[in-house]
Amino acid sequence: MTKLEGEKMKLLLGKKKQEKKLVIEEQVKKDEISNLIDITPIEAIYPFVYKENNDCVEMGGNYIKVIAFTSYPSEQKGNWLSDLKRMKGNITISQYIEPTDASIMLNHYNSSYKNKEAELMKTHDPQQKIKLRNEMKSSAYQLEEALNNKSGFVYIYTYILIQAQSKEHLEMLDEKIQRTLMKLHIKGIVPYYQMNNAYWSALPLKQNLLKEYTYQMSNTTAASSFFPFDDAEICDLSPQSQVEGVNKITNSLVAINYLNDKKTLNQNMFLIGTSGVGKTTYLKRKIINLIAQGKKIYIIDPENEYTKIVEYFGGTVIHLSSVSETIINPFEIYSDELTDDEILNSVTKENKIKNLIKQKCQRLKGFFKVIKSDMTQVESSIIESLVLKLYVKLEKSEDLKNVTHEDFPILEDLYKSCEELKINNVEKFSVIKDFYFILESYVYGSNSLFNGYTNIDLSNQTVSFDLSALQTEKEVQGACYLNIFSYLWDDITKVKIHNSQSDGNYSAYMFIDEFHFLLKNQESCDFFFQAYKRFRKYNAGAIAATQQINDVLKANYSDGDLGTAVVENSYTKVFFGIDNKGVDDLIEKLKLNFSKPEISLLRAKRQGEALIIYGTKRVFMKIELTKEELRLCNPKRYTEKYKADANIQPDYEKDLYISPLEIEEINNYDGREQ
């Protein structure tokens, strides 16, 4: 070998050695990269093993079985596969729906009906007769539906694919599903020796390989019951949403954003439920949540149920009775807002005060009718003229902001005007003489809670009116209700000012518990309902609750049935347990179409369970209280459950870790929806 050849050989060997080194280095890099990649998902898609058995398929460490439907219930039921959908386990339901030739199906059912009719005429067996009549009835129904263009015909195929990590778990799941199918009157079979075709048919690949074994003829009406879209959900989650409870069927939250006017027609709510079903607890919980959201809250509390919880959160409780020192002057004008229905004149800066006075006089007519129920039109006219004279000084004012409580007239001023009329115009006085003597009791007698200048303040976020003392003072109860509503309505109409200061996020809620007490007076009913219809305009809502649904439905107001009108004007309705007659009255008078399960739930009267209707949506819901809500709403139950003193607030920070970032977000949250 020459020297040149030797050099070439060395170069060649060096090159090969270098190439070998590069190959090794590349392989090492590949191994390093491979170790960084999780190939588990890839193996799940592309399993390393696929084994077909007679009763199942083994694939990727899982055991798979398919159940094919061969018969269905004779009567359709909306979403009748819901029990299977909510079952725990790896379950997949696949369905194929294919159209059929309508003429062929019509001929089929027509021939079927004629054949069954002929067989019926020949047989004398009672059992066979019943069977044939049922088959004829079914065929006749299908013919009628099709001929009236109410439905067409389709073929339906249904498969259930189940998976488990062991054969034992697979068989347990199979047994559980079979029991459910029996309950639903569905026949399901495992296609032994056809498991491969069944497996591919159950996948979303549009490969229905078992048509001849699984087809079922149906009309389109019955086929619609297969679709899983009647599981009503009321779940609109946002920072402004209120959580009402938990969906009893799906366990999802029942949440409503009442400020979303695109979804919520109005914020009014009506609650019905007998004593002991959780109605008051639900209202207390709702009040707590609204307080947490910073909403303005007014509570009409006829039985002193909410005083403790209002005082706990620093709210104001106003106790009203004939001996209380609290006074709401019925003559005072609390808002400079003119309502559309009451003032039809064009409003200018010069005549606004006059129109406000006229508006107040219209409301006072109702108040006086409460005092004297048989007041005639002539009496009302004379008293109105006296009242207008009492506001002469106020007419000179340009703005109510500069007017104090003492600038308004009081009942005593009206009484003195009647006395002057007694001297100056005997004829007119003779007409209002009875009213004059009744008014004396409201000025100097035991009913003097209306005489004087207003001495309460509604600036607090939460204000409750305790009317429990008035339950024994029937003659002033109606007047007190009307006076409070008039006062609160004026305060609520100031919402436009509040909205301009809070970017429109301000809202107010009026709670009226034991609503049937309000219905004892016609005038208070009329005023409340007129306000009830207009709450939406001022971004407010009323929550009325009662356990005496029969009294509510019987109540009337000037234009019709009050109970029906209030319920119909409530976009949200909550029905707790009701007695049998109450359910029948709701169906008859309100034309509410309750299903059999809904009727059963209402009549069962289970504590903490209710049917909520939100517009056209309705769900069963459970009212589940948090630990703190239970402590505040039901101290006795809290003590029983947690073995702790309800008067002592637990240290929740020990049970819940909140990161510094979350704490900062909470502190900076302004309540606005992003």
mmCIF file of all heavy atoms in Angstrom, residues 209-229:
data_model
loop_
_atom_site.group_PDB
_atom_site.id
_atom_site.type_symbol
_atom_site.label_atom_id
_atom_site.label_comp_id
_atom_site.label_asym_id
_atom_site.label_seq_id
_atom_site.Cartn_x
_atom_site.Cartn_y
_atom_site.Cartn_z
ATOM 1 N N LEU A 209 -74.038 -0.890 11.209
ATOM 2 C CA LEU A 209 -73.810 -2.208 10.624
ATOM 3 C C LEU A 209 -74.790 -3.264 11.110
ATOM 4 O O LEU A 209 -74.695 -4.422 10.694
ATOM 5 C CB LEU A 209 -72.376 -2.666 10.927
ATOM 6 C CG LEU A 209 -71.260 -1.702 10.504
ATOM 7 C CD1 LEU A 209 -69.900 -2.235 10.938
ATOM 8 C CD2 LEU A 209 -71.298 -1.441 9.014
ATOM 9 N N LEU A 210 -75.735 -2.881 11.984
ATOM 10 C CA LEU A 210 -76.702 -3.843 12.532
ATOM 11 C C LEU A 210 -78.135 -3.380 12.300
ATOM 12 O O LEU A 210 -78.991 -3.504 13.185
ATOM 13 C CB LEU A 210 -76.437 -4.063 14.029
ATOM 14 C CG LEU A 210 -75.111 -4.713 14.412
ATOM 15 C CD1 LEU A 210 -74.989 -4.793 15.930
ATOM 16 C CD2 LEU A 210 -74.989 -6.102 13.816
ATOM 17 N N LYS A 211 -78.408 -2.832 11.142
ATOM 18 C CA LYS A 211 -79.722 -2.284 10.851
ATOM 19 C C LYS A 211 -80.830 -3.321 10.967
ATOM 20 O O LYS A 211 -81.893 -3.069 11.533
ATOM 21 C CB LYS A 211 -79.738 -1.683 9.448
ATOM 22 C CG LYS A 211 -78.993 -0.375 9.303
ATOM 23 C CD LYS A 211 -79.208 0.198 7.914
ATOM 24 C CE LYS A 211 -78.547 1.563 7.768
ATOM 25 N NZ LYS A 211 -78.812 2.176 6.441
ATOM 26 N N GLU A 212 -80.564 -4.514 10.418
ATOM 27 C CA GLU A 212 -81.609 -5.530 10.367
ATOM 28 C C GLU A 212 -81.998 -6.053 11.741
ATOM 29 O O GLU A 212 -83.075 -6.624 11.907
ATOM 30 C CB GLU A 212 -81.169 -6.695 9.475
ATOM 31 C CG GLU A 212 -79.932 -7.462 9.979
ATOM 32 C CD GLU A 212 -78.640 -6.848 9.515
ATOM 33 O OE1 GLU A 212 -78.630 -5.677 9.123
ATOM 34 O OE2 GLU A 212 -77.611 -7.543 9.569
ATOM 35 N N TYR A 213 -81.135 -5.861 12.758
ATOM 36 C CA TYR A 213 -81.423 -6.342 14.099
ATOM 37 C C TYR A 213 -82.018 -5.271 15.014
ATOM 38 O O TYR A 213 -82.643 -5.617 16.015
ATOM 39 C CB TYR A 213 -80.147 -6.885 14.758
ATOM 40 C CG TYR A 213 -79.482 -7.993 14.001
ATOM 41 C CD1 TYR A 213 -78.325 -7.771 13.276
ATOM 42 C CD2 TYR A 213 -80.009 -9.279 14.009
ATOM 43 C CE1 TYR A 213 -77.695 -8.775 12.569
ATOM 44 C CE2 TYR A 213 -79.391 -10.306 13.308
ATOM 45 C CZ TYR A 213 -78.239 -10.049 12.590
ATOM 46 O OH TYR A 213 -77.627 -11.075 11.899
ATOM 47 N N THR A 214 -81.824 -4.002 14.696
ATOM 48 C CA THR A 214 -82.131 -2.947 15.662
ATOM 49 C C THR A 214 -83.150 -1.919 15.192
ATOM 50 O O THR A 214 -83.449 -0.983 15.935
ATOM 51 C CB THR A 214 -80.838 -2.198 16.040
ATOM 52 O OG1 THR A 214 -80.259 -1.613 14.861
ATOM 53 C CG2 THR A 214 -79.840 -3.139 16.688
ATOM 54 N N TYR A 215 -83.706 -2.039 13.988
ATOM 55 C CA TYR A 215 -84.570 -0.984 13.480
ATOM 56 C C TYR A 215 -85.908 -0.985 14.217
ATOM 57 O O TYR A 215 -86.409 -2.009 14.679
ATOM 58 C CB TYR A 215 -84.774 -1.115 11.976
ATOM 59 C CG TYR A 215 -85.799 -2.144 11.558
ATOM 60 C CD1 TYR A 215 -87.117 -1.793 11.334
ATOM 61 C CD2 TYR A 215 -85.436 -3.481 11.395
ATOM 62 C CE1 TYR A 215 -88.056 -2.728 10.960
ATOM 63 C CE2 TYR A 215 -86.365 -4.430 11.025
ATOM 64 C CZ TYR A 215 -87.683 -4.048 10.806
ATOM 65 O OH TYR A 215 -88.622 -4.985 10.444
ATOM 66 N N GLN A 216 -86.481 0.204 14.329
ATOM 67 C CA GLN A 216 -87.797 0.397 14.920
ATOM 68 C C GLN A 216 -88.503 1.505 14.149
ATOM 69 O O GLN A 216 -87.974 2.602 13.983
ATOM 70 C CB GLN A 216 -87.682 0.789 16.401
ATOM 71 C CG GLN A 216 -88.993 1.154 17.073
ATOM 72 C CD GLN A 216 -89.884 -0.040 17.287
ATOM 73 O OE1 GLN A 216 -89.412 -1.117 17.571
ATOM 74 N NE2 GLN A 216 -91.186 0.133 17.143
ATOM 75 N N MET A 217 -89.714 1.187 13.650
ATOM 76 C CA MET A 217 -90.490 2.200 12.942
ATOM 77 C C MET A 217 -91.181 3.114 13.951
ATOM 78 O O MET A 217 -91.664 2.663 14.988
ATOM 79 C CB MET A 217 -91.527 1.544 12.032
ATOM 80 C CG MET A 217 -90.936 0.782 10.873
ATOM 81 S SD MET A 217 -92.200 0.086 9.778
ATOM 82 C CE MET A 217 -92.964 -1.107 10.886
ATOM 83 N N SER A 218 -91.235 4.398 13.644
ATOM 84 C CA SER A 218 -91.844 5.370 14.543
ATOM 85 C C SER A 218 -92.290 6.588 13.755
ATOM 86 O O SER A 218 -91.758 6.876 12.673
ATOM 87 C CB SER A 218 -90.848 5.781 15.634
ATOM 88 O OG SER A 218 -91.356 6.852 16.417
ATOM 89 N N ASN A 219 -93.267 7.313 14.312
ATOM 90 C CA ASN A 219 -93.592 8.602 13.706
ATOM 91 C C ASN A 219 -92.680 9.670 14.297
ATOM 92 O O ASN A 219 -92.012 9.464 15.312
ATOM 93 C CB ASN A 219 -95.073 8.959 13.886
ATOM 94 C CG ASN A 219 -95.479 9.094 15.341
ATOM 95 O OD1 ASN A 219 -94.713 9.517 16.184
ATOM 96 N ND2 ASN A 219 -96.714 8.729 15.644
ATOM 97 N N THR A 220 -92.640 10.807 13.667
ATOM 98 C CA THR A 220 -91.708 11.857 14.085
ATOM 99 C C THR A 220 -92.048 12.431 15.459
ATOM 100 O O THR A 220 -91.167 12.907 16.180
ATOM 101 C CB THR A 220 -91.699 12.993 13.052
ATOM 102 O OG1 THR A 220 -93.047 13.416 12.795
ATOM 103 C CG2 THR A 220 -91.054 12.533 11.749
ATOM 104 N N THR A 221 -93.334 12.406 15.847
ATOM 105 C CA THR A 221 -93.727 12.899 17.165
ATOM 106 C C THR A 221 -93.101 12.059 18.264
ATOM 107 O O THR A 221 -92.529 12.569 19.222
ATOM 108 C CB THR A 221 -95.258 12.899 17.306
ATOM 109 O OG1 THR A 221 -95.834 13.684 16.266
ATOM 110 C CG2 THR A 221 -95.672 13.459 18.655
ATOM 111 N N ALA A 222 -93.226 10.724 18.106
ATOM 112 C CA ALA A 222 -92.618 9.828 19.085
ATOM 113 C C ALA A 222 -91.106 9.904 19.051
ATOM 114 O O ALA A 222 -90.438 9.840 20.092
ATOM 115 C CB ALA A 222 -93.089 8.395 18.837
ATOM 116 N N ALA A 223 -90.541 10.066 17.850
ATOM 117 C CA ALA A 223 -89.085 10.143 17.720
ATOM 118 C C ALA A 223 -88.510 11.370 18.420
ATOM 119 O O ALA A 223 -87.364 11.350 18.882
ATOM 120 C CB ALA A 223 -88.697 10.148 16.252
ATOM 121 N N SER A 224 -89.291 12.442 18.501
ATOM 122 C CA SER A 224 -88.799 13.659 19.149
ATOM 123 C C SER A 224 -88.524 13.454 20.632
ATOM 124 O O SER A 224 -87.752 14.194 21.235
ATOM 125 C CB SER A 224 -89.809 14.798 18.970
ATOM 126 O OG SER A 224 -91.027 14.509 19.661
ATOM 127 N N SER A 225 -89.168 12.433 21.228
ATOM 128 C CA SER A 225 -88.954 12.163 22.643
ATOM 129 C C SER A 225 -87.558 11.627 22.915
ATOM 130 O O SER A 225 -87.148 11.538 24.074
ATOM 131 C CB SER A 225 -90.013 11.192 23.164
ATOM 132 O OG SER A 225 -89.897 9.930 22.527
ATOM 133 N N PHE A 226 -86.839 11.224 21.850
ATOM 134 C CA PHE A 226 -85.473 10.746 22.020
ATOM 135 C C PHE A 226 -84.498 11.876 22.317
ATOM 136 O O PHE A 226 -83.452 11.658 22.910
ATOM 137 C CB PHE A 226 -84.991 10.025 20.759
ATOM 138 C CG PHE A 226 -85.550 8.656 20.588
ATOM 139 C CD1 PHE A 226 -86.816 8.480 20.076
ATOM 140 C CD2 PHE A 226 -84.826 7.551 20.952
ATOM 141 C CE1 PHE A 226 -87.334 7.221 19.903
ATOM 142 C CE2 PHE A 226 -85.351 6.284 20.790
ATOM 143 C CZ PHE A 226 -86.606 6.115 20.262
ATOM 144 N N PHE A 227 -84.812 13.080 21.874
ATOM 145 C CA PHE A 227 -83.847 14.161 21.954
ATOM 146 C C PHE A 227 -83.723 14.681 23.385
ATOM 147 O O PHE A 227 -84.734 14.934 24.052
ATOM 148 C CB PHE A 227 -84.235 15.295 21.013
ATOM 149 C CG PHE A 227 -84.086 14.934 19.565
ATOM 150 C CD1 PHE A 227 -85.129 14.366 18.862
ATOM 151 C CD2 PHE A 227 -82.882 15.115 18.918
ATOM 152 C CE1 PHE A 227 -84.990 14.012 17.538
ATOM 153 C CE2 PHE A 227 -82.737 14.763 17.589
ATOM 154 C CZ PHE A 227 -83.780 14.209 16.895
ATOM 155 N N PRO A 228 -82.496 14.856 23.858
ATOM 156 C CA PRO A 228 -82.254 15.190 25.267
ATOM 157 C C PRO A 228 -82.287 16.681 25.554
ATOM 158 O O PRO A 228 -81.358 17.223 26.132
ATOM 159 C CB PRO A 228 -80.850 14.622 25.511
ATOM 160 C CG PRO A 228 -80.159 14.820 24.195
ATOM 161 C CD PRO A 228 -81.231 14.639 23.126
ATOM 162 N N PHE A 229 -83.383 17.330 25.134
ATOM 163 C CA PHE A 229 -83.398 18.779 25.265
ATOM 164 C C PHE A 229 -84.467 19.293 26.210
ATOM 165 O O PHE A 229 -84.710 20.491 26.260
ATOM 166 C CB PHE A 229 -83.604 19.433 23.895
ATOM 167 C CG PHE A 229 -82.544 19.078 22.893
ATOM 168 C CD1 PHE A 229 -82.876 18.697 21.611
ATOM 169 C CD2 PHE A 229 -81.216 19.106 23.245
ATOM 170 C CE1 PHE A 229 -81.900 18.362 20.693
ATOM 171 C CE2 PHE A 229 -80.230 18.772 22.330
ATOM 172 C CZ PHE A 229 -80.573 18.399 21.052
#
